[in-house]
């Protein structure tokens, strides 16, 4: 849109997996600066991160032991992290898919209740959440336990 003058541009780096690290962004900046004419302003950036947190309650199948609950909690947390990592930039968090991921993470889990979802430290309605075109989910670093399993 040339907001900084004719020829100016912005590059949004979309990593194939993981996140765009600072060193990757620096490498791209250096490469672009070598081929960009003098007077052209450019920016190189990665996706904007959206902090995610949740509180999840697990119901265990009858006959489950306390050790089963601990293992199920670890598996559920890992399932949530995997699910978030699979959501592409600009994608949508679908609550039912997250629940399905949790249920399939451990055979001792009989039911899952999402008690709270937070986006950037703000409680949200427990509903699907659509990211903007340049956003990705990350666990909220401002929350002590971004994934709390009860």
């Amino acid at each position: 849109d040339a907001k900084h003058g004719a020829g100016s541009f912005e590059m949004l780096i979309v990593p194939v997996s993981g996140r765009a690290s600072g060193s990757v962004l620096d490498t791209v900046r250096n490469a672009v600066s070598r081929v960009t004419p003098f007077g052209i302003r450019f920016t190189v950036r990665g996706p904007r991160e959206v902090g995610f947190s949740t509180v999840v309650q697990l119901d265990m199948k009858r006959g489950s032991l306390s050790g089963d609950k601990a293992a199920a909690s670890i598996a559920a947390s890992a399932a949530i992290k995997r699910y978030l990592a699979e959501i592409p930039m600009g994608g949508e968090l679908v609550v039912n898919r997250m629940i399905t991921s949790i249920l399939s993470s451990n055979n001792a889990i009989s039911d899952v209740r999402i008690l709270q979802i937070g986006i950037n430290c703000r409680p949200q309605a427990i509903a699907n959440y659509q990211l903007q075109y340049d956003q990705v989910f990350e666990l909220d670093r401002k929350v002590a336990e971004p994934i709390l399993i009860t």
Side-chain angles (χ1 to χ4, degrees):
D1 76 28
K3 66 182 177 183
H4 298 290
S8 66
F9 62 94
E10 176 179 85
M11 293 181 73
L12 176 60
I13 305 304
V14 182
V16 174
S17 64
R19 301 295 180 240
S21 69
S23 63
V24 168
L25 296 177
D26 289 341
T27 300
V28 172
R29 269 187 212 99
N30 290 335
V32 172
S33 70
R34 284 188 235 123
V35 296
T36 303
F38 179 77
I40 301 296
R41 182 172 177 184
F42 69 91
T43 55
V44 175
R45 68 177 181 89
R48 292 183 298 140
E49 295 179 355
V50 173
F52 175 84
S53 61
T54 188
V55 178
V56 176
Q57 181 180 28
L58 301 180
D59 288 340
M60 305 303 291
K61 291 181 180 173
R62 286 194 177 169
S64 296
L65 304 172
S66 63
D68 294 335
K69 174 81 176 202
S73 294
I74 292 167
S77 180
I80 293 168
K81 290 174 187 175
R82 272 192 312 276
Y83 176 69
L84 290 176
E86 291 170 359
I87 298 172
M89 186 171 68
E92 181 178 22
L93 176 124
V94 179
V95 174
N96 285 339
R97 288 186 187 149
M98 186 169 73
I99 289 171
T100 300
S101 296
I102 297 167
L103 281 169
S104 64
S105 70
N106 187 292
N107 290 333
I109 300 171
S110 65
D111 196 13
V112 175
R113 287 184 199 82
I114 307 295
L115 302 179
Q116 180 179 327
I117 289 178
I119 303 293
N120 290 329
C121 292
R122 292 189 182 107
Q124 301 289 313
I126 300 171
N128 297 350
Y129 187 87
Q130 179 68 51
L131 293 169
Q132 293 180 11
Y133 78 97
D134 64 343
Q135 292 179 327
V136 293
F137 281 115
E138 284 290 334
L139 293 181
D140 201 328
R141 294 182 196 103
K142 296 176 184 172
V143 176
E145 287 187 76
I147 299 176
L148 180 60
I149 310 290
T150 64

